[in-house]
Amino acid sequence: MAHIVLDNCIRCKYTDCVDVCPVDCFREGPNMLVIDPDECIDCAVCVPECPAEAIVAEEDVPGDQENFIAINAEKAPNWPAITRSKSPLEDADDWNGTPNKLQYLEGCPCRRALRPPLLSCPEWPSGRCSFASSRPINISEIG
């Protein structure tokens, strides 16, 4: 099982976890990090390093954030590896601890976000996007 980056990383993107990862499994998106589940060796050294407490073992993902298992798996192959820490986002401390930040993930994490010229899913604001719902999403649903 891999570790999963959760909702609280969005709009924070602290990178303290990156420096301690022995296998370079972190990937960097515009406003959050994800963990590549194919690279993670489940060592857990990143967990205590995250100031946002946004990293948990897959089996410990809260029910209302199970869709982050799919988000990590879907984004990891498309986002570049990050192997050295850098400064967090400018207003990270203001966003740290804010609940329900999935709506702020840059670009809807569903299949529509992967097809240019769309920068985000047209169904995201309406709440009709499958990732905007709280139900768990199977990775096979992502196009």
Side-chain angles (χ1 to χ4, degrees):
M1 295 256 171
H3 277 73
I4 305 297
V5 179
L6 301 175
D7 180 82
N8 202 39
C9 186
I10 298 171
R11 288 197 132 169
C12 290
K13 200 165 90 170
Y14 296 105
T15 58
D16 307 58
C17 52
V18 171
D19 286 331
V20 299
C21 181
V23 293
D24 299 332
C25 67
F26 284 92
R27 304 297 181 256
E28 182 181 18
N31 68 347
M32 82 171 290
L33 302 177
V34 296
I35 292 175
D36 185 334
D38 294 331
E39 297 292 326
C40 181
I41 59 171
D42 202 26
C43 67
V45 297
C46 58
V47 174
E49 298 300 318
C50 179
E53 299 180 355
I55 303 171
V56 299
E58 186 173 341
E59 61 270 13
D60 296 330
V61 172
D64 64 341
Q65 294 194 48
E66 286 181 349
N67 48 0
F68 278 89
I69 297 170
I71 290 170
N72 278 247
E74 187 269 336
K75 290 298 186 187
N78 299 305
W79 285 353
I82 177 171
T83 59
R84 297 207 189 283
S85 62
K86 53 175 73 171
S87 298
L89 297 177
E90 193 172 304
D91 54 353
D93 292 338
D94 296 332
W95 284 98
N96 188 6
T98 301
N100 305 314
K101 294 191 288 185
L102 181 57
Q103 63 186 320
Y104 301 111
L105 180 59
E106 288 193 15
C108 177
C110 74
R111 63 180 106 28
R112 293 172 194 87
L114 301 178
R115 295 193 180 112
L118 295 177
L119 297 178
S120 64
C121 173
E123 294 180 9
W124 183 270
S126 70
R128 288 192 305 267
C129 174
S130 58
F131 270 87
S133 70
S134 60
R135 74 174 177 83
I137 296 202
N138 186 304
I139 192 68
S140 66
E141 294 180 61
I142 301 171

